[in-house]
Amino acid sequence: MHRSYRKPSNDTIAEEYVTAHIIDGAKIAEDIRNQVKREAAALKAKSGITPGLATVLVGDNPASHAYVRSKRKTTADLGLESFGYEMPKETTQAEVVALVRRLSADPKVHGILVQLPLPAHISEEAVLGEVALDKDVDGFNPINIGKLGMKNRSPTFAPCTPAGVIELLERTGTPLEGANAVVLGRSNIVGLPLSLLLLGRNATVTVCHSRTRDIAPLTRAADILVAAIGRTRFVTAHMVKPGAVVIDVGINEIADASKKSGKRLVGDVDFDAVKEVAGAITPVPGGVGPMTIAMLMRNTIRAAEIATAKCT
Amino acid sequence: MHRSYRKPSNDTIAEEYVTAHIIDGAKIAEDIRNQVKREAAALKAKSGITPGLATVLVGDNPASHAYVRSKRKTTADLGLESFGYEMPKETTQAEVVALVRRLSADPKVHGILVQLPLPAHISEEAVLGEVALDKDVDGFNPINIGKLGMKNRSPTFAPCTPAGVIELLERTGTPLEGANAVVLGRSNIVGLPLSLLLLGRNATVTVCHSRTRDIAPLTRAADILVAAIGRTRFVTAHMVKPGAVVIDVGINEIADASKKSGKRLVGDVDFDAVKEVAGAITPVPGGVGPMTIAMLMRNTIRAAEIATAKCT
């Protein structure tokens, strides 16, 4: 399956961040991080406040530890304060709730990130419900999700990965208004909030998922196709309209004997084939991945600004 | 445009509520009201509690007065207590907020309905934000909207009109799982929450709106088509897939010289033509309309049950 590339008819895909149809998420994320760094310095100079992000990690999931390490490193690199809390997997729900409640009341903490998933004996809803709305930099509070979709309402924070996808689309000049956007996946942290964000930007939005029948005719009608289902190379070239913008949120590990580690990461999209059809596409890694942390940093700066505005 | 009727291939449309493809919303609503009446009597016998619904009406919009009158009459007919509050259009926001706050604290009031729209000088968000979550029988709190769409979360109440549409679909045996559902409109009170309810029932959901381009190919793919845009006879027969279930939420007034009043109500669907194509269709009036109040009554009973459970 090898088709010739057709440039989107609107002719607006930005050259700055797109090379040979490939969207450079790493570069966009870097630009956002640099801006956050400048804003953090400015906030400190103006009000003496250093934005602070608390991370709460329960248990010993290696992937969760790697994510939190990476978030904490970026936080420090940008001149923000990082407060790290690690609790053993036996920790009770009451103990986690007590910690989050304390952080919600702590004026030095502007954002709170509870790394998911929590151990099975702890209710995610109960813990996340303790995160103060003004510190909910993950944007997972149902109030924020509800306001994301409602007219004449604005969430305090939008969830980081969906906000990162919107940023990728906007910075590459992808028209959203009136576009047919198809989102594969309806998770609380990506598919659902992203669908609401796209709707708020006047896209016509279709949400597909594991129960969707006959998915290809739907995806082939998409001007913007986002895959967030966690299934290796699920989106094949024949599912993509020539010229469509394809955003791959999937991060799946597959075996690769050619690598020292014996494995590598691939997305939900069959990248090599789809890039020949798509107008623009994000790679994995280096596409959506770096955007999530960048948007978390931006939300943390916003949280610090909200707190500062309340005190002055 | 006159096509022969094709029965839905799944062969499950219920006969009880559907005659000549026309869904009898009045009959379904009556059955629900009768059940609410029985439940109210049972609750009173068991715990001595009469479910109470407070209505708050600000200003002199004649349609709003008619709606509230109808809601209050039904409330009383079913043996529920109706508390009516009417305030002049000059009422300040602070006065409305104070009333709603008082009702939120009143143990005899189990549900609170603030009739919309409010006068322009009063913030809808500020007033609705004062409705206690356990009394939000309209289901308009962003928390309820967010939970409607999220996995592993349940709203305390679903908004009445969307919940009524789901009830119509389920009572007529319309399969939702895996169905292509297309919702026209994305309002806070119908389109958005209905889309989330359909998604939660495993339909593949597309939301169309005023910015959607080339709408007919999308609607023609719909197994379930819901129109909630307030545009007279917007949905024509060529936009409907033969056998589709068509739900018309629109209530539009048009001139009709043959009527004593000189006008009559029609929906967003060109009923006479579409009924020849659709597998089943709701009329206007007598379709979705009666369901809204029925679901409000059901939410009020649930609110009283929640309050009762808290006290025992």
Side-chain angles (χ1 to χ4, degrees), chain A residues 3-80:
Chain A
R3 305 186 199 176
S4 65
Y5 166 60
R6 298 190 213 167
K7 192 147 188 162
S9 57
N10 45 64
D11 218 27
T12 54
I13 297 296
E15 304 298 321
E16 181 186 1
Y17 292 123
V18 187
T19 307
H21 325 160
I22 299 172
I23 298 172
D24 191 346
K27 170 87 174 74
I28 296 173
E30 186 188 4
D31 286 356
I32 293 170
R33 287 198 307 272
N34 285 336
Q35 189 177 346
V36 168
K37 195 171 183 171
R38 287 192 296 274
E39 290 179 11
L43 188 68
K44 198 167 179 177
K46 188 182 152 205
S47 63
I49 285 178
T50 303
L53 174 66
T55 54
V56 177
L57 175 54
V58 187
D60 45 20
N61 181 320
S64 291
H65 275 265
Y67 285 133
V68 168
R69 210 157 38 233
S70 171
K71 288 168 184 171
R72 294 199 62 195
K73 181 178 181 315
T74 305
T75 307
D77 286 350
L78 302 189
L80 279 58

Side-chain angles (χ1 to χ4, degrees), chain A residues 36 85-86 96 98-99 124 136 139 149 155 158 172 183 191 207 217 223 238 249 255 280 289 304:
Chain A
V36 168
Y85 294 85
E86 297 190 7
V96 182
L99 170 63
E124 182 185 305
D136 179 31
T172 53
V183 177
V207 185
D223 303 308
H238 88 280
V249 185

Side-chain angles (χ1 to χ4, degrees), chain B residues 33-232:
Chain B
R33 287 196 307 271
N34 285 336
Q35 188 175 347
V36 167
K37 195 171 184 171
R38 287 192 297 274
E39 290 179 11
L43 188 69
K44 198 166 179 176
K46 190 182 152 205
S47 61
I49 284 179
T50 303
L53 175 66
T55 54
V56 177
L57 175 54
V58 186
D60 46 20
N61 181 321
S64 291
H65 275 264
Y67 285 133
V68 167
R69 210 158 38 233
S70 173
K71 287 167 186 173
R72 294 198 63 192
K73 181 179 182 313
T74 305
T75 307
D77 286 350
L78 303 190
L80 281 57
E81 190 107 44
S82 170
F83 305 96
Y85 294 86
E86 298 190 7
M87 306 172 103
K89 64 178 188 295
E90 301 78 20
T91 309
T92 66
Q93 178 173 312
E95 288 169 319
V96 182
V97 162
L99 170 63
V100 173
R101 204 174 281 174
R102 184 158 64 75
L103 295 171
S104 282
D106 185 340
K108 292 179 86 74
V109 172
H110 303 105
I112 300 171
L113 179 137
V114 178
Q115 184 65 38
L116 302 180
L118 291 165
H121 67 283
I122 298 177
S123 156
E124 182 185 305
E125 184 172 9
V127 171
L128 294 184
E130 294 296 333
V131 176
L133 204 57
D134 283 353
K135 301 187 179 186
D136 179 30
V137 287
D138 253 342
F140 291 161
N141 190 303
I143 294 186
N144 277 324
I145 302 291
K147 288 184 173 180
L148 218 52
M150 293 172 81
K151 287 185 191 178
N152 305 318
R153 301 286 194 283
S154 298
T156 315
F157 302 103
C160 301
T161 302
V165 171
I166 296 290
E167 196 75 29
L168 285 175
L169 292 169
E170 290 184 338
R171 293 213 180 204
T172 54
T174 308
L176 298 179
E177 171 138 350
N180 273 347
V182 175
V183 178
L184 309 186
R186 51 176 167 168
S187 68
N188 288 350
I189 61 177
V190 184
L192 173 68
L194 178 59
S195 304
L196 299 175
L197 283 169
L198 287 165
L199 197 57
R201 279 158 180 78
N202 294 325
T204 299
V205 179
T206 299
V207 185
C208 299
H209 45 77
S210 56
R211 313 299 175 86
T212 296
R213 290 195 293 256
D214 203 12
I215 201 166
L218 296 166
T219 59
R220 272 199 299 265
D223 304 309
I224 298 166
L225 178 59
V226 183
I229 46 175
R231 290 176 64 178
T232 299

Side-chain angles (χ1 to χ4, degrees), chain A residues 180-182 217-226 239-241 243-245:
Chain A
N180 273 348
V182 175
L218 297 166
T219 59
R220 270 200 299 267
D223 303 308
I224 297 167
L225 178 59
V226 183
M239 293 168 68
V240 176
K241 176 161 85 170
V245 175

Side-chain angles (χ1 to χ4, degrees), chain A residues 1-6 216 220 235-242 269-278:
Chain A
M1 171 88 51
H2 195 99
R3 305 186 199 176
S4 65
Y5 166 60
R6 298 190 213 167
R220 270 200 299 267
V235 176
T236 55
H238 88 280
M239 293 168 68
V240 176
K241 176 161 85 170
V269 177
D270 184 1
F271 181 81
D272 290 332
V274 172
K275 83 174 191 314
E276 304 299 326
V277 182

